[in-house]
């Protein structure tokens, strides 16, 4: 496409939308919805193309997983596991931080990060209260590890859902390509948080009797409900794992699991439907329409060509460029629109004959790990910190304990993100470019 | 129920006082009068606020339990700070009272109190006179008593 025929209005509007989103003055779903309608009304995209642009595989997978997670959240299993970690650590704070971080990383791989943090933060505050220790370091660690753990699977973080759908990558692909780097990153980040926080978590003599007194089994109110839910979750994951054989779309697997769970656990599904994060769903729909318009405007093709010019068509350099750029910008800008736009750019790059396969992983690692950079880098960060700070206010402990703010979050998060991105860079080199 | 007014069921023996009364003294009054509400009044007998047992518990229960109520099932003594309880002994009722108060006028019909109790789950609703002066409260027991009176009068008539 010649640059004379490129329509810059959609892309400029998108940049304006990004700035509005950064300002956080409006709810992201409302403002994105208004922009999408503006795009259709002013013929920046025609109605049929707008509908075609909505990726229903992503939307279906999101809705399906939201239903499944909201049902499983009611079982009490997450709080149960957190108390188990407390008992396993015998109440020793540093061990507890490590065990809870590992649990969070694991849960985040299968639940979205916000839900994981919403479930694990209150019980962590409960535990730290009982132990009489500050929750500051532990909550920060949990947030960092939820973003790291979410990177491991297709369903762990929304950028991966988008990439999976755009690039036709399966659950297994994410496990195979992102799994090892997530494990490596977890290991390195554990060492980092150990040295960063060990002085803040002074070892305290804790009464083991007190810890034993906690009856975590009381958290599981309905065992049959829990067993049913876990069996269906297992079947859903099995469905994802066998996608290459069955060829059933991920959205269909998630929705089938969701309806099966509803069928077996409730007769009145309305209260569960209310828990679907409609705000996120509308945000995605709006974004797909806006980016669909940009896709037809020729700007992404131009950006793709500029990237190729910049890296001289070298896929290795292009991967590093995407990883670094997306990783750094994700700390400040919502990683969902960034992922959608870069997915389209990567598709454009493929038309110039470059092998784009490594680029998808560079995008995924950048978008997911980048969220740890700042307090606003991911929704899970905002949610976790909000709970922590409100709890501090409630306890009037402001004088004794540190609040989490933009500065101290970034003090640790910046280091974790830079190290994560650096090891991702070496990892990409190792698995894709070492023999070239 | 027809034509029955709030003033027919109002409970007038209600603990009340100025905003500088200590919480612990207000609680003693509540226990003495066996009622779980305290009405905070200004010097003109106008309602400035109220507090109930729920507001007191709200000050004690940790935020994380309010957020994840399942944690209430495994609560231990340690989750409530002694500091928090000690602090309560020195606070005044104005520090704990709720200022946004639903009130009923003495000449309103009883049905209004019944509906408010149902939709808002109130145990007590303060009652004021035509000059907005505090009169008393409508409580669940008095509503129940009135309903029983009505049932009895119907059964006698039939």
């Amino acid at each position: 496409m010649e640059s004379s025929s490129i329509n810059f209005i959609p892309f400029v509007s998108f940049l304006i939308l990004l700035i509005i989103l950064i300002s956080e003055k409006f709810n992201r779903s409302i403002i994105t919805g208004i922009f999408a309608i503006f795009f259709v009304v002013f013929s920046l995209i025609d109605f049929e193309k707008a509908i075609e642009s909505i990726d229903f595989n992503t939307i279906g997978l999101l809705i399906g997983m939201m239903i499944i997670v909201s049902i499983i959240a009611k079982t009490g299993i997450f709080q149960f596991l957190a108390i188990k970690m407390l008992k396993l650590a015998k109440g020793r704070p540093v061990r507890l931080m490590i065990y809870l971080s590992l649990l969070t990383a694991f849960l985040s791989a299968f639940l979205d990060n916000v839900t994981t943090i919403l479930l694990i933060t209150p019980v962590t505050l409960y535990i730290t209260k009982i132990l009489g220790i500050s929750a500051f370091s532990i909550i920060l660690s949990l947030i960092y590890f939820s973003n790291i753990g979410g990177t491991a699977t297709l369903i762990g973080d929304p950028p991966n859902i988008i990439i999976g759908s755009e690039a036709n990558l399966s659950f297994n692909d994410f496990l195979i390509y992102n799994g090892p780097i997530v494990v490596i990153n977890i290991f390195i980040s554990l060492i980092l948080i150990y040295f960063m926080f060990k002085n803040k978590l002074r070892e305290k003599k804790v009464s083991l009797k007190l810890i034993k007194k906690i009856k975590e089994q009381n958290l599981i109110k309905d065992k049959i409900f829990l067993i049913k839910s876990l069996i269906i979750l297992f079947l859903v994951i099995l469905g994802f794992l066998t996608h290459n054989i069955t060829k059933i779309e991920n959205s269909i697997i998630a929705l089938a699991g969701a309806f099966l769970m509803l069928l077996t656990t409730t007769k009145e599904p309305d209260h569960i439907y209310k828990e679907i994060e409609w705000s996120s769903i509308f945000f995605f729909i709006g974004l797909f329409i806006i980016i669909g318009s940009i896709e037809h405007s020729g700007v992404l093709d131009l950006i793709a060509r500029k990237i190729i010019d910049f890296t001289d068509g070298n896929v290795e350099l292009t991967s590093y460029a995407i990883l670094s750029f997306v990783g750094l910008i994700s700390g400040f800008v919502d990683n969902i629109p960034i992922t959608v736009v870069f997915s389209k750019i990567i598709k454009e790059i493929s038309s110039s004959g470059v092998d784009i396969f490594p680029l998808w992983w560079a995008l995924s690692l950048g978008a997911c790990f980048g969220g740890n950079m700042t307090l606003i880098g991911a929704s899970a960060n905002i949610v976790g910190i909000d709970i922590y700070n409100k709890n501090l206010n409630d306890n009037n402990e402001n004088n004794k304990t540190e609040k989490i703010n933009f500065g101290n979050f970034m003090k640790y998060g910046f280091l974790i993100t830079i190290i994560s991105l650096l090891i991702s860079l070496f990892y990409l080199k190792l698995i894709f470019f070492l023999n070239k | 129920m027809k034509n029955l007014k709030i003033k027919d069921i109002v409970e007038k023996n209600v603990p009340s006082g100025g905003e500088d009364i200590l919480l612990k003294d207000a609680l003693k009054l509540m226990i003495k009068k066996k009622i779980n509400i305290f009405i905070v009044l200004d010097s003109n007998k106008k309602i400035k606020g109220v507090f109930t047992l729920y507001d007191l518990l709200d000050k004690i229960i940790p935020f994380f339990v309010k957020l994840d109520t399942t944690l209430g099932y495994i609560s231990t003594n340690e989750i409530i700070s002694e500091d928090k309880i000690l602090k309560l002994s020195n606070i005044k009722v104005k520090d704990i009272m709720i200022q946004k108060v639903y009130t009923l006028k003495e000449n309103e019909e009883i049905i209004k109190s019944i509906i408010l109790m149902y939709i808002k789950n109130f145990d007590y609703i303060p009652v004021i006179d035509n000059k907005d002066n505090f009169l008393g409260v409508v409580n669940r027991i008095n509503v129940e008593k009135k309903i029983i009176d009505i049932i009895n009068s119907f059964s006698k008539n039939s």
Side-chain angles (χ1 to χ4, degrees), chain A residues 404-418:
Chain A
I404 301 177
N405 54 36
F406 197 91
N408 56 21
F409 184 91
M410 198 169 166
K411 183 174 149 191
Y412 306 105
F414 183 78
L415 186 65
I416 286 185
T417 308
I418 294 299

Side-chain angles (χ1 to χ4, degrees), chain A residues 221-254:
Chain A
K221 282 155 277 171
D222 186 342
K223 271 189 189 163
I224 293 174
F225 173 50
L226 171 70
I227 292 166
K228 275 195 235 171
S229 308
L230 290 183
I231 289 173
I232 296 169
L233 178 67
F234 173 76
L235 290 175
V236 169
I237 292 170
L238 196 68
F240 290 143
L241 289 170
T242 53
H243 163 79
N244 290 348
I245 304 162
T246 62
K247 304 289 175 211
I248 301 171
E249 291 295 340
N250 292 323
S251 55
I252 301 298
I253 296 168

